[in-house]
Amino acid sequence: MSDDRERLIRNLFAAYLGNDRQRVSEALADDFRFTSPFDDDLDKATYFERCWRDTGWIARHDIERVFVVGDEAFVTYRCLATDGRSFRNTEFFTFAGGKVRRIEVYFGAAFQDGRFLPQPR
């Protein structure tokens, strides 16, 4: 089952990168919730209204690690933008019924020229 969860996560990242909103929506449970440092406990509709945008600014996601235990997973990845900017995040996923029920995003530092950059305080 953990392989299915990891596959779902990787497919979700690929769909996001491909700007495939329909595929992302299908991967999310009807009672999906999203939390990040900028958004607190958004429902699925509000997530798409507030957070979904054209993903053409993303050149690639480098998934560094995926840890799956039961119905939960942590994913750490580096995102490279088309303008050369990059950053590293960790996301905590919760699953129910073969879909993603919850994502909590923890923002990481900017990454440039092989090293992390200090963030403003």
Side-chain angles (χ1 to χ4, degrees), residues 35-65:
T35 298
S36 79
F38 299 137
D39 304 287
D40 186 34
D41 203 37
L42 303 181
D43 64 16
K44 188 174 181 178
T46 306
Y47 165 75
F48 280 110
E49 287 172 22
R50 190 179 298 174
C51 302
W52 185 268
R53 59 187 247 197
D54 178 7
T55 58
W57 64 275
I58 299 173
R60 74 175 192 263
H61 291 117
D62 294 332
I63 296 177
E64 296 176 0
R65 63 187 60 85

PDB file of all heavy atoms in Angstrom, residues 35-65:
ATOM      1  N   THR A  35      -3.304  23.330   4.069  1.00  0.00           N
ATOM      2  CA  THR A  35      -2.736  24.306   4.996  1.00  0.00           C
ATOM      3  C   THR A  35      -1.297  24.596   4.592  1.00  0.00           C
ATOM      4  O   THR A  35      -0.563  23.693   4.209  1.00  0.00           O
ATOM      5  CB  THR A  35      -2.770  23.763   6.449  1.00  0.00           C
ATOM      6  OG1 THR A  35      -4.140  23.559   6.818  1.00  0.00           O
ATOM      7  CG2 THR A  35      -2.123  24.716   7.421  1.00  0.00           C
ATOM      8  N   SER A  36      -0.932  25.875   4.657  1.00  0.00           N
ATOM      9  CA  SER A  36       0.450  26.296   4.413  1.00  0.00           C
ATOM     10  C   SER A  36       0.704  27.506   5.302  1.00  0.00           C
ATOM     11  O   SER A  36      -0.217  27.987   5.966  1.00  0.00           O
ATOM     12  CB  SER A  36       0.643  26.664   2.933  1.00  0.00           C
ATOM     13  OG  SER A  36       0.137  27.963   2.671  1.00  0.00           O
ATOM     14  N   PRO A  37       1.929  28.033   5.312  1.00  0.00           N
ATOM     15  CA  PRO A  37       2.167  29.247   6.092  1.00  0.00           C
ATOM     16  C   PRO A  37       1.289  30.427   5.646  1.00  0.00           C
ATOM     17  O   PRO A  37       1.095  31.369   6.407  1.00  0.00           O
ATOM     18  CB  PRO A  37       3.647  29.536   5.846  1.00  0.00           C
ATOM     19  CG  PRO A  37       4.237  28.188   5.610  1.00  0.00           C
ATOM     20  CD  PRO A  37       3.189  27.456   4.811  1.00  0.00           C
ATOM     21  N   PHE A  38       0.737  30.375   4.427  1.00  0.00           N
ATOM     22  CA  PHE A  38      -0.106  31.459   3.923  1.00  0.00           C
ATOM     23  C   PHE A  38      -1.598  31.140   3.985  1.00  0.00           C
ATOM     24  O   PHE A  38      -2.421  32.033   3.796  1.00  0.00           O
ATOM     25  CB  PHE A  38       0.252  31.788   2.473  1.00  0.00           C
ATOM     26  CG  PHE A  38       1.661  32.258   2.288  1.00  0.00           C
ATOM     27  CD1 PHE A  38       2.420  31.781   1.230  1.00  0.00           C
ATOM     28  CD2 PHE A  38       2.255  33.166   3.151  1.00  0.00           C
ATOM     29  CE1 PHE A  38       3.724  32.213   1.041  1.00  0.00           C
ATOM     30  CE2 PHE A  38       3.556  33.598   2.969  1.00  0.00           C
ATOM     31  CZ  PHE A  38       4.287  33.120   1.909  1.00  0.00           C
ATOM     32  N   ASP A  39      -1.959  29.886   4.165  1.00  0.00           N
ATOM     33  CA  ASP A  39      -3.359  29.462   4.081  1.00  0.00           C
ATOM     34  C   ASP A  39      -3.656  28.482   5.201  1.00  0.00           C
ATOM     35  O   ASP A  39      -2.896  27.542   5.417  1.00  0.00           O
ATOM     36  CB  ASP A  39      -3.613  28.762   2.737  1.00  0.00           C
ATOM     37  CG  ASP A  39      -3.226  29.647   1.568  1.00  0.00           C
ATOM     38  OD1 ASP A  39      -3.945  30.608   1.300  1.00  0.00           O
ATOM     39  OD2 ASP A  39      -2.190  29.355   0.933  1.00  0.00           O
ATOM     40  N   ASP A  40      -4.790  28.681   5.867  1.00  0.00           N
ATOM     41  CA  ASP A  40      -5.118  27.816   6.988  1.00  0.00           C
ATOM     42  C   ASP A  40      -6.381  27.014   6.720  1.00  0.00           C
ATOM     43  O   ASP A  40      -7.474  27.586   6.622  1.00  0.00           O
ATOM     44  CB  ASP A  40      -5.283  28.634   8.266  1.00  0.00           C
ATOM     45  CG  ASP A  40      -5.469  27.753   9.483  1.00  0.00           C
ATOM     46  OD1 ASP A  40      -4.872  26.644   9.514  1.00  0.00           O
ATOM     47  OD2 ASP A  40      -6.207  28.150  10.384  1.00  0.00           O
ATOM     48  N   ASP A  41      -6.222  25.704   6.546  1.00  0.00           N
ATOM     49  CA  ASP A  41      -7.331  24.768   6.488  1.00  0.00           C
ATOM     50  C   ASP A  41      -8.340  25.099   5.392  1.00  0.00           C
ATOM     51  O   ASP A  41      -9.544  25.132   5.621  1.00  0.00           O
ATOM     52  CB  ASP A  41      -8.007  24.698   7.865  1.00  0.00           C
ATOM     53  CG  ASP A  41      -8.765  23.400   8.051  1.00  0.00           C
ATOM     54  OD1 ASP A  41      -8.284  22.350   7.578  1.00  0.00           O
ATOM     55  OD2 ASP A  41      -9.840  23.432   8.676  1.00  0.00           O
ATOM     56  N   LEU A  42      -7.835  25.313   4.172  1.00  0.00           N
ATOM     57  CA  LEU A  42      -8.714  25.615   3.040  1.00  0.00           C
ATOM     58  C   LEU A  42      -9.423  24.360   2.569  1.00  0.00           C
ATOM     59  O   LEU A  42      -8.831  23.286   2.531  1.00  0.00           O
ATOM     60  CB  LEU A  42      -7.897  26.166   1.861  1.00  0.00           C
ATOM     61  CG  LEU A  42      -7.037  27.400   2.097  1.00  0.00           C
ATOM     62  CD1 LEU A  42      -6.336  27.788   0.801  1.00  0.00           C
ATOM     63  CD2 LEU A  42      -7.860  28.546   2.643  1.00  0.00           C
ATOM     64  N   ASP A  43     -10.682  24.495   2.162  1.00  0.00           N
ATOM     65  CA  ASP A  43     -11.376  23.371   1.549  1.00  0.00           C
ATOM     66  C   ASP A  43     -10.943  23.267   0.084  1.00  0.00           C
ATOM     67  O   ASP A  43     -10.189  24.102  -0.424  1.00  0.00           O
ATOM     68  CB  ASP A  43     -12.892  23.491   1.692  1.00  0.00           C
ATOM     69  CG  ASP A  43     -13.487  24.693   0.975  1.00  0.00           C
ATOM     70  OD1 ASP A  43     -12.822  25.307   0.109  1.00  0.00           O
ATOM     71  OD2 ASP A  43     -14.643  25.031   1.284  1.00  0.00           O
ATOM     72  N   LYS A  44     -11.406  22.242  -0.596  1.00  0.00           N
ATOM     73  CA  LYS A  44     -10.968  21.959  -1.959  1.00  0.00           C
ATOM     74  C   LYS A  44     -11.281  23.114  -2.909  1.00  0.00           C
ATOM     75  O   LYS A  44     -10.420  23.541  -3.689  1.00  0.00           O
ATOM     76  CB  LYS A  44     -11.620  20.661  -2.438  1.00  0.00           C
ATOM     77  CG  LYS A  44     -11.119  20.142  -3.756  1.00  0.00           C
ATOM     78  CD  LYS A  44     -11.740  18.777  -4.042  1.00  0.00           C
ATOM     79  CE  LYS A  44     -11.273  18.182  -5.334  1.00  0.00           C
ATOM     80  NZ  LYS A  44     -11.849  16.842  -5.553  1.00  0.00           N
ATOM     81  N   ALA A  45     -12.493  23.632  -2.851  1.00  0.00           N
ATOM     82  CA  ALA A  45     -12.888  24.727  -3.748  1.00  0.00           C
ATOM     83  C   ALA A  45     -12.036  25.968  -3.500  1.00  0.00           C
ATOM     84  O   ALA A  45     -11.556  26.600  -4.453  1.00  0.00           O
ATOM     85  CB  ALA A  45     -14.370  25.044  -3.579  1.00  0.00           C
ATOM     86  N   THR A  46     -11.821  26.310  -2.237  1.00  0.00           N
ATOM     87  CA  THR A  46     -11.030  27.495  -1.912  1.00  0.00           C
ATOM     88  C   THR A  46      -9.566  27.285  -2.286  1.00  0.00           C
ATOM     89  O   THR A  46      -8.899  28.221  -2.736  1.00  0.00           O
ATOM     90  CB  THR A  46     -11.172  27.842  -0.415  1.00  0.00           C
ATOM     91  OG1 THR A  46     -12.564  27.955  -0.106  1.00  0.00           O
ATOM     92  CG2 THR A  46     -10.471  29.141  -0.079  1.00  0.00           C
ATOM     93  N   TYR A  47      -9.075  26.066  -2.111  1.00  0.00           N
ATOM     94  CA  TYR A  47      -7.707  25.766  -2.531  1.00  0.00           C
ATOM     95  C   TYR A  47      -7.527  26.090  -4.016  1.00  0.00           C
ATOM     96  O   TYR A  47      -6.584  26.770  -4.398  1.00  0.00           O
ATOM     97  CB  TYR A  47      -7.373  24.292  -2.273  1.00  0.00           C
ATOM     98  CG  TYR A  47      -6.139  23.825  -3.004  1.00  0.00           C
ATOM     99  CD1 TYR A  47      -4.870  24.190  -2.573  1.00  0.00           C
ATOM    100  CD2 TYR A  47      -6.242  23.049  -4.156  1.00  0.00           C
ATOM    101  CE1 TYR A  47      -3.731  23.781  -3.260  1.00  0.00           C
ATOM    102  CE2 TYR A  47      -5.113  22.632  -4.841  1.00  0.00           C
ATOM    103  CZ  TYR A  47      -3.864  23.004  -4.388  1.00  0.00           C
ATOM    104  OH  TYR A  47      -2.750  22.612  -5.080  1.00  0.00           O
ATOM    105  N   PHE A  48      -8.444  25.632  -4.851  1.00  0.00           N
ATOM    106  CA  PHE A  48      -8.317  25.897  -6.281  1.00  0.00           C
ATOM    107  C   PHE A  48      -8.506  27.371  -6.608  1.00  0.00           C
ATOM    108  O   PHE A  48      -7.814  27.906  -7.476  1.00  0.00           O
ATOM    109  CB  PHE A  48      -9.268  25.015  -7.093  1.00  0.00           C
ATOM    110  CG  PHE A  48      -8.742  23.629  -7.301  1.00  0.00           C
ATOM    111  CD1 PHE A  48      -9.326  22.542  -6.680  1.00  0.00           C
ATOM    112  CD2 PHE A  48      -7.641  23.404  -8.115  1.00  0.00           C
ATOM    113  CE1 PHE A  48      -8.833  21.261  -6.858  1.00  0.00           C
ATOM    114  CE2 PHE A  48      -7.129  22.130  -8.309  1.00  0.00           C
ATOM    115  CZ  PHE A  48      -7.733  21.058  -7.677  1.00  0.00           C
ATOM    116  N   GLU A  49      -9.386  28.062  -5.891  1.00  0.00           N
ATOM    117  CA  GLU A  49      -9.586  29.501  -6.124  1.00  0.00           C
ATOM    118  C   GLU A  49      -8.361  30.308  -5.726  1.00  0.00           C
ATOM    119  O   GLU A  49      -7.932  31.200  -6.445  1.00  0.00           O
ATOM    120  CB  GLU A  49     -10.778  30.007  -5.306  1.00  0.00           C
ATOM    121  CG  GLU A  49     -12.120  29.589  -5.814  1.00  0.00           C
ATOM    122  CD  GLU A  49     -13.230  29.966  -4.839  1.00  0.00           C
ATOM    123  OE1 GLU A  49     -13.041  30.879  -3.996  1.00  0.00           O
ATOM    124  OE2 GLU A  49     -14.298  29.323  -4.906  1.00  0.00           O
ATOM    125  N   ARG A  50      -7.804  29.992  -4.564  1.00  0.00           N
ATOM    126  CA  ARG A  50      -6.743  30.820  -4.001  1.00  0.00           C
ATOM    127  C   ARG A  50      -5.339  30.378  -4.389  1.00  0.00           C
ATOM    128  O   ARG A  50      -4.443  31.205  -4.560  1.00  0.00           O
ATOM    129  CB  ARG A  50      -6.861  30.815  -2.475  1.00  0.00           C
ATOM    130  CG  ARG A  50      -5.953  31.840  -1.833  1.00  0.00           C
ATOM    131  CD  ARG A  50      -6.066  31.869  -0.338  1.00  0.00           C
ATOM    132  NE  ARG A  50      -7.405  32.227   0.088  1.00  0.00           N
ATOM    133  CZ  ARG A  50      -7.784  32.212   1.348  1.00  0.00           C
ATOM    134  NH1 ARG A  50      -6.954  31.853   2.311  1.00  0.00           N
ATOM    135  NH2 ARG A  50      -9.017  32.553   1.680  1.00  0.00           N
ATOM    136  N   CYS A  51      -5.118  29.081  -4.515  1.00  0.00           N
ATOM    137  CA  CYS A  51      -3.754  28.572  -4.649  1.00  0.00           C
ATOM    138  C   CYS A  51      -3.411  28.071  -6.049  1.00  0.00           C
ATOM    139  O   CYS A  51      -2.230  27.968  -6.386  1.00  0.00           O
ATOM    140  CB  CYS A  51      -3.521  27.432  -3.658  1.00  0.00           C
ATOM    141  SG  CYS A  51      -3.790  27.916  -1.949  1.00  0.00           S
ATOM    142  N   TRP A  52      -4.408  27.695  -6.829  1.00  0.00           N
ATOM    143  CA  TRP A  52      -4.099  27.145  -8.147  1.00  0.00           C
ATOM    144  C   TRP A  52      -3.802  28.284  -9.099  1.00  0.00           C
ATOM    145  O   TRP A  52      -4.532  29.249  -9.183  1.00  0.00           O
ATOM    146  CB  TRP A  52      -5.258  26.317  -8.686  1.00  0.00           C
ATOM    147  CG  TRP A  52      -4.869  25.664  -9.971  1.00  0.00           C
ATOM    148  CD1 TRP A  52      -5.055  26.169 -11.225  1.00  0.00           C
ATOM    149  CD2 TRP A  52      -4.184  24.433 -10.126  1.00  0.00           C
ATOM    150  NE1 TRP A  52      -4.542  25.314 -12.148  1.00  0.00           N
ATOM    151  CE2 TRP A  52      -3.997  24.240 -11.505  1.00  0.00           C
ATOM    152  CE3 TRP A  52      -3.703  23.475  -9.242  1.00  0.00           C
ATOM    153  CZ2 TRP A  52      -3.351  23.116 -12.014  1.00  0.00           C
ATOM    154  CZ3 TRP A  52      -3.073  22.368  -9.745  1.00  0.00           C
ATOM    155  CH2 TRP A  52      -2.905  22.194 -11.105  1.00  0.00           C
ATOM    156  N   ARG A  53      -2.732  28.141  -9.820  1.00  0.00           N
ATOM    157  CA  ARG A  53      -2.382  29.099 -10.866  1.00  0.00           C
ATOM    158  C   ARG A  53      -1.665  28.345 -11.961  1.00  0.00           C
ATOM    159  O   ARG A  53      -1.305  27.189 -11.787  1.00  0.00           O
ATOM    160  CB  ARG A  53      -1.538  30.233 -10.313  1.00  0.00           C
ATOM    161  CG  ARG A  53      -0.243  29.768  -9.667  1.00  0.00           C
ATOM    162  CD  ARG A  53       0.456  30.894  -8.986  1.00  0.00           C
ATOM    163  NE  ARG A  53       1.694  31.198  -9.672  1.00  0.00           N
ATOM    164  CZ  ARG A  53       2.671  31.899  -9.157  1.00  0.00           C
ATOM    165  NH1 ARG A  53       2.551  32.413  -7.976  1.00  0.00           N
ATOM    166  NH2 ARG A  53       3.770  32.138  -9.821  1.00  0.00           N
ATOM    167  N   ASP A  54      -1.431  28.998 -13.029  1.00  0.00           N
ATOM    168  CA  ASP A  54      -0.699  28.384 -14.127  1.00  0.00           C
ATOM    169  C   ASP A  54       0.673  27.968 -13.609  1.00  0.00           C
ATOM    170  O   ASP A  54       1.401  28.777 -13.041  1.00  0.00           O
ATOM    171  CB  ASP A  54      -0.564  29.380 -15.272  1.00  0.00           C
ATOM    172  CG  ASP A  54       0.223  28.840 -16.440  1.00  0.00           C
ATOM    173  OD1 ASP A  54       0.563  27.648 -16.452  1.00  0.00           O
ATOM    174  OD2 ASP A  54       0.508  29.627 -17.358  1.00  0.00           O
ATOM    175  N   THR A  55       1.008  26.704 -13.786  1.00  0.00           N
ATOM    176  CA  THR A  55       2.271  26.200 -13.243  1.00  0.00           C
ATOM    177  C   THR A  55       3.419  26.309 -14.246  1.00  0.00           C
ATOM    178  O   THR A  55       4.467  25.722 -14.037  1.00  0.00           O
ATOM    179  CB  THR A  55       2.112  24.737 -12.786  1.00  0.00           C
ATOM    180  OG1 THR A  55       1.694  23.955 -13.903  1.00  0.00           O
ATOM    181  CG2 THR A  55       1.103  24.629 -11.658  1.00  0.00           C
ATOM    182  N   GLY A  56       3.230  27.088 -15.307  1.00  0.00           N
ATOM    183  CA  GLY A  56       4.268  27.253 -16.308  1.00  0.00           C
ATOM    184  C   GLY A  56       5.549  27.871 -15.777  1.00  0.00           C
ATOM    185  O   GLY A  56       6.586  27.817 -16.435  1.00  0.00           O
ATOM    186  N   TRP A  57       5.492  28.452 -14.584  1.00  0.00           N
ATOM    187  CA  TRP A  57       6.693  29.048 -13.994  1.00  0.00           C
ATOM    188  C   TRP A  57       7.624  27.998 -13.390  1.00  0.00           C
ATOM    189  O   TRP A  57       8.762  28.286 -13.038  1.00  0.00           O
ATOM    190  CB  TRP A  57       6.308  30.086 -12.933  1.00  0.00           C
ATOM    191  CG  TRP A  57       5.594  29.511 -11.754  1.00  0.00           C
ATOM    192  CD1 TRP A  57       4.262  29.273 -11.647  1.00  0.00           C
ATOM    193  CD2 TRP A  57       6.183  29.094 -10.526  1.00  0.00           C
ATOM    194  NE1 TRP A  57       3.972  28.727 -10.416  1.00  0.00           N
ATOM    195  CE2 TRP A  57       5.134  28.612  -9.702  1.00  0.00           C
ATOM    196  CE3 TRP A  57       7.484  29.082 -10.034  1.00  0.00           C
ATOM    197  CZ2 TRP A  57       5.353  28.118  -8.424  1.00  0.00           C
ATOM    198  CZ3 TRP A  57       7.701  28.590  -8.755  1.00  0.00           C
ATOM    199  CH2 TRP A  57       6.648  28.121  -7.966  1.00  0.00           C
ATOM    200  N   ILE A  58       7.151  26.750 -13.280  1.00  0.00           N
ATOM    201  CA  ILE A  58       7.954  25.683 -12.693  1.00  0.00           C
ATOM    202  C   ILE A  58       8.674  24.909 -13.792  1.00  0.00           C
ATOM    203  O   ILE A  58       8.047  24.374 -14.702  1.00  0.00           O
ATOM    204  CB  ILE A  58       7.086  24.701 -11.879  1.00  0.00           C
ATOM    205  CG1 ILE A  58       6.391  25.436 -10.739  1.00  0.00           C
ATOM    206  CG2 ILE A  58       7.935  23.549 -11.334  1.00  0.00           C
ATOM    207  CD1 ILE A  58       5.393  24.575  -9.999  1.00  0.00           C
ATOM    208  N   ALA A  59       9.999  24.841 -13.707  1.00  0.00           N
ATOM    209  CA  ALA A  59      10.775  24.053 -14.665  1.00  0.00           C
ATOM    210  C   ALA A  59      10.762  22.576 -14.277  1.00  0.00           C
ATOM    211  O   ALA A  59      10.633  21.705 -15.126  1.00  0.00           O
ATOM    212  CB  ALA A  59      12.216  24.565 -14.736  1.00  0.00           C
ATOM    213  N   ARG A  60      10.885  22.314 -12.959  1.00  0.00           N
ATOM    214  CA  ARG A  60      10.851  20.915 -12.502  1.00  0.00           C
ATOM    215  C   ARG A  60      10.752  20.843 -10.985  1.00  0.00           C
ATOM    216  O   ARG A  60      11.042  21.808 -10.281  1.00  0.00           O
ATOM    217  CB  ARG A  60      12.061  20.146 -12.998  1.00  0.00           C
ATOM    218  CG  ARG A  60      13.350  20.461 -12.304  1.00  0.00           C
ATOM    219  CD  ARG A  60      14.483  19.533 -12.793  1.00  0.00           C
ATOM    220  NE  ARG A  60      15.618  19.656 -11.944  1.00  0.00           N
ATOM    221  CZ  ARG A  60      16.664  20.431 -12.185  1.00  0.00           C
ATOM    222  NH1 ARG A  60      16.694  21.147 -13.282  1.00  0.00           N
ATOM    223  NH2 ARG A  60      17.671  20.465 -11.352  1.00  0.00           N
ATOM    224  N   HIS A  61      10.330  19.674 -10.533  1.00  0.00           N
ATOM    225  CA  HIS A  61      10.361  19.306  -9.114  1.00  0.00           C
ATOM    226  C   HIS A  61      11.377  18.182  -8.974  1.00  0.00           C
ATOM    227  O   HIS A  61      11.311  17.212  -9.716  1.00  0.00           O
ATOM    228  CB  HIS A  61       9.009  18.742  -8.642  1.00  0.00           C
ATOM    229  CG  HIS A  61       7.911  19.721  -8.587  1.00  0.00           C
ATOM    230  ND1 HIS A  61       6.790  19.617  -9.366  1.00  0.00           N
ATOM    231  CD2 HIS A  61       7.748  20.834  -7.831  1.00  0.00           C
ATOM    232  CE1 HIS A  61       5.978  20.616  -9.089  1.00  0.00           C
ATOM    233  NE2 HIS A  61       6.523  21.360  -8.173  1.00  0.00           N
ATOM    234  N   ASP A  62      12.274  18.308  -8.050  1.00  0.00           N
ATOM    235  CA  ASP A  62      13.187  17.216  -7.717  1.00  0.00           C
ATOM    236  C   ASP A  62      12.738  16.648  -6.377  1.00  0.00           C
ATOM    237  O   ASP A  62      12.990  17.257  -5.322  1.00  0.00           O
ATOM    238  CB  ASP A  62      14.634  17.705  -7.621  1.00  0.00           C
ATOM    239  CG  ASP A  62      15.181  18.173  -8.955  1.00  0.00           C
ATOM    240  OD1 ASP A  62      14.724  17.669  -9.997  1.00  0.00           O
ATOM    241  OD2 ASP A  62      16.069  19.060  -8.952  1.00  0.00           O
ATOM    242  N   ILE A  63      12.036  15.522  -6.417  1.00  0.00           N
ATOM    243  CA  ILE A  63      11.584  14.892  -5.184  1.00  0.00           C
ATOM    244  C   ILE A  63      12.794  14.216  -4.549  1.00  0.00           C
ATOM    245  O   ILE A  63      13.406  13.332  -5.135  1.00  0.00           O
ATOM    246  CB  ILE A  63      10.445  13.898  -5.452  1.00  0.00           C
ATOM    247  CG1 ILE A  63       9.224  14.660  -5.998  1.00  0.00           C
ATOM    248  CG2 ILE A  63      10.097  13.128  -4.178  1.00  0.00           C
ATOM    249  CD1 ILE A  63       8.056  13.778  -6.381  1.00  0.00           C
ATOM    250  N   GLU A  64      13.137  14.667  -3.358  1.00  0.00           N
ATOM    251  CA  GLU A  64      14.314  14.164  -2.667  1.00  0.00           C
ATOM    252  C   GLU A  64      14.006  12.928  -1.835  1.00  0.00           C
ATOM    253  O   GLU A  64      14.817  12.014  -1.754  1.00  0.00           O
ATOM    254  CB  GLU A  64      14.899  15.253  -1.768  1.00  0.00           C
ATOM    255  CG  GLU A  64      15.402  16.453  -2.561  1.00  0.00           C
ATOM    256  CD  GLU A  64      15.891  17.580  -1.666  1.00  0.00           C
ATOM    257  OE1 GLU A  64      15.843  17.459  -0.415  1.00  0.00           O
ATOM    258  OE2 GLU A  64      16.331  18.599  -2.225  1.00  0.00           O
ATOM    259  N   ARG A  65      12.839  12.923  -1.193  1.00  0.00           N
ATOM    260  CA  ARG A  65      12.473  11.762  -0.377  1.00  0.00           C
ATOM    261  C   ARG A  65      10.974  11.732  -0.170  1.00  0.00           C
ATOM    262  O   ARG A  65      10.317  12.767  -0.136  1.00  0.00           O
ATOM    263  CB  ARG A  65      13.207  11.766   0.957  1.00  0.00           C
ATOM    264  CG  ARG A  65      12.891  12.927   1.856  1.00  0.00           C
ATOM    265  CD  ARG A  65      13.760  12.995   3.104  1.00  0.00           C
ATOM    266  NE  ARG A  65      15.165  13.115   2.853  1.00  0.00           N
ATOM    267  CZ  ARG A  65      15.808  14.260   2.639  1.00  0.00           C
ATOM    268  NH1 ARG A  65      15.155  15.387   2.647  1.00  0.00           N
ATOM    269  NH2 ARG A  65      17.089  14.290   2.433  1.00  0.00           N
TER     270      ARG A  65
END
